[in-house]
Amino acid sequence: MSITLEQAEQAVKAAKAKATEIGTLMNIAVVDAGANLKAFVHMDGAWLGSIDISQRKARTARYFDMPTGEIGKLSQPGGSLYNIEHSNGGLITFPGGIPIKDQSGEIIGAIGVSGSTVENDHTVAQAGVDAISE
């Protein structure tokens, strides 16, 4: 099963609301179970360079079914995934990408957010995930 367009739009809406609440401008991408772009928003004034980063964060989270921040921890020198960011055409291994699960726990897609600090990126992404799992 894969995320529906309605669910992807719901995640984007919640993430956008959280970005507004914390006073930041974001690029928000949602991919389906096959890591294909399902929904995307570039908030007015958000960094152009973060468009690609948000989409790569979403794909990275789906490729490996874990938050990008966790992949980052494993990809440090000496880590079991060292240099993984060079695979798959380039991955993002810092926070802001999170897998999205359905009610049964099956991964149906992922969200990636970029445009602020990695802490804010993760907070906004989590708001998108939470909107679907409620």
Side-chain angles (χ1 to χ4, degrees):
M1 178 153 175
S2 195
I3 193 167
T4 65
L5 177 58
E6 182 179 350
Q7 289 171 312
E9 289 173 337
Q10 184 180 353
V12 167
K13 182 179 178 182
K16 194 171 122 187
K18 177 57 83 173
T20 300
E21 177 187 317
I22 64 174
T24 190
L25 303 171
M26 297 289 194
N27 292 286
I28 304 160
V30 175
V31 297
D32 63 17
N36 303 297
L37 188 63
K38 191 76 169 193
F40 174 79
V41 66
H42 168 77
M43 293 176 71
D44 294 339
W47 295 331
L48 295 176
S50 290
I51 292 171
D52 180 61
I53 294 170
S54 67
Q55 293 178 22
R56 286 179 187 266
K57 283 182 180 182
R59 286 194 307 269
T60 300
R62 178 56 188 113
Y63 287 160
F64 298 98
D65 296 337
M66 68 175 79
T68 53
E70 292 303 311
I71 296 170
K73 292 175 189 174
L74 297 171
S75 65
Q76 296 303 307
S80 60
L81 298 179
Y82 182 59
N83 276 331
I84 196 168
E85 64 273 11
H86 301 292
S87 70
N88 295 286
L91 303 175
I92 300 295
T93 58
F94 46 86
I98 306 173
I100 299 172
K101 298 178 182 180
D102 66 11
Q103 301 290 355
S104 69
E106 180 180 345
I107 294 176
I108 58 173
I111 187 168
V113 175
S114 183
S116 183
T117 65
V118 293
E119 294 82 10
N120 284 345
D121 291 355
H122 181 80
T123 296
V124 171
Q126 189 63 58
V129 170
D130 292 346
I132 293 177
S133 60
E134 291 178 340

